[in-house]
Amino acid sequence: MKSVLTIGEILVEIMATEKGDGFLEPINLIGPFPSGAPAIFIDQAAKFGQPAAIIGCVGADDFGRVNLDRLRRDGVDVEGVRIDPEMATGSAFVRYRPDGSRAFVYNIKHSAAGAISLDSAAKAVLNRGDHLHVMGTALSSPNIVEVILAAAEAIKARGGTISFDPNLRPEILNLPGLREACETLFRRCDLFLPSGAELYLFTKAKEEKATVREILDRGVRAIVHKRGADGASYYDSKARLTQAGFEVKEVDPTGAGDCFGATFVSCWLRNMPPAQCLAYAAASGALAVTRQGPMEGAASQAELDAFLASHSKRP
Ligand code: ATP
Ligand code: MG
């Protein structure tokens, strides 16, 4: 089976237990939960049964251990995760605002998560990878961009494939160098996995049909457009498919896109028909939102089979 590699932030997530406007007074928190978009992605890929590895960096602290223990338990190869003796593991504190939006306090760039390098252990992991998945969030610091672009070249040079999930909102694309790095990954990817308005990030066209055509004309083999509870669509040169969202009770939306993407990529690497890839992925995204904690809703293929057997699609 083809192996999947990702590179990027491994974090703990600590969340407020009640909705509110900020972190300006003492509040009840729950966590640490294992997190970081690339880490969630690779955990779901491994749980689905795909050979999976991550290149990253954590501190020599309990926040790092919480993540490494979980990733190892779920079958992720963590040989390429460096343990930095001086820096603390990255973190994200999240509070849901009364209107349902999220307010984050991140410590990523100046934590161990920002100190990723292509050392000899990471190179060995890279040499074993058939497919590279890139999350736009991982491109927020120049040294990590360098590592990811080098990995993308290495994977492509030996006939491997690349998937890219911008995982950004258009307003944060203005960080120095980020848009350029995203554009490069967009041009190099085989599979493009935008969410909502991210579909239009790299095209002149701003209408769905023309945008899809423009993206496919630029050499992307397939597009999977995520639309939250409304489901997702798939496009390639031959097919256009839509998958409705499954009816579930949303407890915590964080991690849906990462789980969806990991399951889609795993199915795609197994050459499943696109409709089956979409169904598995939508089940994976739906299950993810039913659990509190970004990685807690990751599911095995057997669990997804059981979910698909028992859930009806939205009309
Ligand atoms: P994230 O917020 O993690 O970055 P995303 O914006 O990349 O996520 P979403 O579109 O929110 O991705 O979710 C990915 C997929 O998961 C959706 O296309 C859908 O199939 C499924 N999904 C997400 N939220 C729900 C929900 N509330 N109910 C059912 N399915 C959902
Ligand atoms: Mg979302």
Side-chain angles (χ1 to χ4, degrees):
M1 236 197 293
K2 289 195 173 140
S3 62
V4 189
L5 166 68
T6 194
I7 301 172
E9 68 278 11
I10 298 172
L11 312 173
V12 286
E13 188 146 322
I14 297 169
M15 54 184 79
T17 55
E18 290 127 50
K19 287 184 176 173
D21 281 321
F23 287 116
L24 300 175
E25 76 280 348
I27 48 166
N28 292 319
L29 299 163
I30 184 165
F33 290 101
S35 191
I40 300 163
F41 174 95
I42 210 66
D43 191 75
Q44 173 59 55
K47 279 198 97 168
F48 194 71
Q50 209 65 24
I54 184 166
I55 291 172
C57 184
V58 295
D61 51 28
D62 286 351
F63 287 175
R65 272 195 62 185
V66 141
N67 274 290
L68 288 177
D69 288 353
R70 171 66 64 88
L71 293 170
R72 269 196 205 104
R73 186 199 78 185
D74 290 344
V76 178
D77 172 356
V78 292
E79 294 291 308
V81 179
R82 193 171 70 81
I83 301 177
D84 190 289
E86 288 178 22
M87 300 190 94
T89 299
S91 60
F93 286 75
V94 61
R95 184 165 192 181
Y96 290 90
R97 294 197 188 280
D99 69 1
S101 64
R102 288 173 281 187
F104 286 99
V105 176
Y106 285 122
N107 178 28
I108 301 179
K109 199 171 173 179
H110 301 290
S111 72
I116 293 173
S117 63
L118 211 47
D119 59 14
S120 57
K123 279 187 185 137
V125 171
L126 173 58
N127 288 336
R128 297 197 284 271
D130 297 307
H131 178 92
L132 175 69
H133 178 78
V134 181
M135 289 287 183
T137 46
L139 299 169
S140 57
S141 97
N143 64 309
I144 305 177
V145 168
E146 210 181 294
V147 170
I148 289 178
L149 293 182
E153 289 314 312
I155 293 260
K156 278 281 184 184
R158 56 171 191 271
T161 46
I162 296 178
S163 48
F164 176 49
D165 179 345
N167 204 26
L168 302 165
R169 303 300 166 245
E171 55 272 28
I172 52 173
L173 259 182
N174 294 329
L175 284 177
L178 185 63
R179 174 171 264 281
E180 207 186 4
C182 282
E183 290 251 18
T184 305
L185 261 306
F186 171 70
R187 284 198 304 273
R188 302 296 277 146
C189 76
D190 301 278
L191 196 54
F192 180 49
L193 298 149
S195 163
E198 291 166 355
L199 177 67
Y200 307 100
L201 278 173
F202 307 107
T203 54
K204 285 195 203 75
K206 295 295 167 214
E207 173 276 317
E208 185 176 305
K209 216 170 156 193
T211 300
V212 164
R213 198 177 323 114
E214 187 178 336
I215 295 172
L216 295 174
D217 284 350
R218 287 179 63 175
V220 173
R221 275 162 60 189
I223 306 163
V224 186
H225 186 209
K226 296 167 279 170
R227 286 184 275 94
D230 291 334
S233 301
Y234 171 92
Y235 310 89
D236 65 19
S237 58
K238 294 191 280 299
R240 181 197 191 287
L241 303 166
T242 294
Q243 167 71 54
F246 289 100
E247 196 89 56
V248 290
K249 185 175 180 310
E250 184 178 293
V251 175
D252 179 1
T254 308
D258 313 327
C259 288
F260 175 102
T263 300
F264 190 93
V265 166
S266 301
C267 293
W268 186 77
L269 288 172
R270 295 180 199 183
N271 292 317
M272 286 185 197
Q276 195 181 6
C277 298
L278 263 187
Y280 264 125
S284 194
L287 260 183
V289 307
T290 63
R291 303 278 160 76
Q292 184 174 39
M295 207 187 276
E296 307 310 303
S300 67
Q301 190 172 359
E303 286 165 331
L304 294 178
D305 282 329
F307 178 93
L308 285 168
S310 67
H311 279 70
S312 56
K313 289 174 192 172
R314 284 189 176 184

